[in-house]
Amino acid sequence: MAGLSSKSFALLLLAMSFYINSSFSARITPQRSTEFIRKSCTATTYPKLCYTSLSIHSSAIQTSPKLLASTALNVTLSSAKSTSTMMSTLSQGHGLKPKEVSAMSDCVEELSDALDELRKSIDEMSNGKESNFGLMINDVQTWVSAAMTDESTCSDGFAGNAMNGNLKTTVRGRIVNIAQLTSNALALINNYALLHG
């Protein structure tokens, strides 16, 4: 009988400790996760944008450098997609000057390339083999860097005084935002690579 009650007591203690630990970690996790994101974002060029764009995904990221880098890529891809759609619509608008039509068309093409590179990076991050970590990270860094170059080329098409007004302001504002998100994603990928190595 004594053996049974000590087993019951041990089980009760185990259940209580599980309950206490799970409720404790449930209270701590969101705060730890957002703090992890805030701290990680200090390594980026645009820490405020990094934190605001990623902290809303804190429950998915938790404290994982890999999930942080992957989420940053997905946020960048989502922003690039919506900008690409907006640019395609704007480029078909009436009343655009030939120079504006040409710049918009080039930009849509550059963004399409950037979208492909971001997609490849996301696929590689989620499907890459741990045994080939160095190769996987190298590919991801190359593609994300290429996406940044494409975004920069798009923005360059609207440089100078030949093009002014709302179109230029709108396009450049969106492209700058994507370029900053991409830059942040690359910094987080580099950080993940350092921590992994």
Side-chain angles (χ1 to χ4, degrees):
M1 186 76 186
L4 183 65
S5 65
S6 66
K7 268 188 183 172
S8 300
F9 183 69
L11 280 173
L12 180 66
L13 275 179
L14 187 66
M16 283 175 58
S17 108
F18 176 76
Y19 174 78
I20 290 165
N21 285 339
S22 61
S23 61
F24 181 70
S25 66
R27 277 200 315 263
I28 292 296
T29 301
Q31 190 179 356
R32 274 191 59 212
S33 181
T34 52
E35 196 47 45
F36 165 74
I37 294 166
R38 187 187 309 280
K39 191 174 176 209
S40 300
C41 283
T42 60
T44 67
T45 311
Y46 309 99
K48 189 175 179 188
L49 175 65
C50 175
Y51 180 73
T52 55
S53 66
L54 295 173
S55 59
I56 54 172
H57 304 284
S58 64
S59 60
I61 294 166
Q62 307 218 343
T63 57
S64 164
K66 180 180 181 176
L67 290 174
L68 182 66
S70 295
T71 304
L73 282 172
N74 278 294
V75 165
T76 304
L77 178 66
S78 176
S79 180
K81 272 186 193 169
S82 65
T83 297
S84 182
T85 303
M86 178 202 82
M87 299 279 285
S88 295
T89 306
L90 283 176
S91 69
Q92 294 159 13
H94 299 294
L96 293 180
K97 297 173 197 154
K99 246 185 184 169
E100 291 172 331
V101 172
S102 173
M104 291 291 280
S105 173
D106 290 348
C107 199
V108 167
E109 201 173 305
E110 295 293 341
L111 277 180
S112 175
D113 291 345
L115 286 169
D116 285 344
E117 287 143 3
L118 289 168
R119 280 189 196 102
K120 283 195 278 193
S121 302
I122 290 165
D123 287 347
E124 189 68 15
M125 283 282 284
S126 56
N127 301 324
K129 294 182 173 55
E130 275 301 301
S131 57
N132 277 344
F133 183 82
L135 183 64
M136 180 271 286
I137 278 292
N138 201 5
D139 285 346
V140 170
Q141 289 166 324
T142 301
W143 289 323
V144 176
S145 296
M148 284 176 68
T149 302
D150 292 330
E151 293 152 8
S152 177
T153 304
C154 165
S155 189
D156 290 347
F158 292 87
N161 295 326
M163 237 180 284
N164 285 313
N166 292 337
L167 182 70
K168 178 179 175 176
T169 306
T170 302
V171 170
R172 289 196 80 171
R174 293 292 291 262
I175 298 300
V176 163
N177 183 257
I178 297 169
Q180 290 178 352
L181 287 170
T182 310
S183 167
N184 284 348
L186 184 58
L188 295 171
I189 290 160
N190 292 343
N191 195 41
Y192 168 52
L194 286 173
L195 291 170
H196 193 277

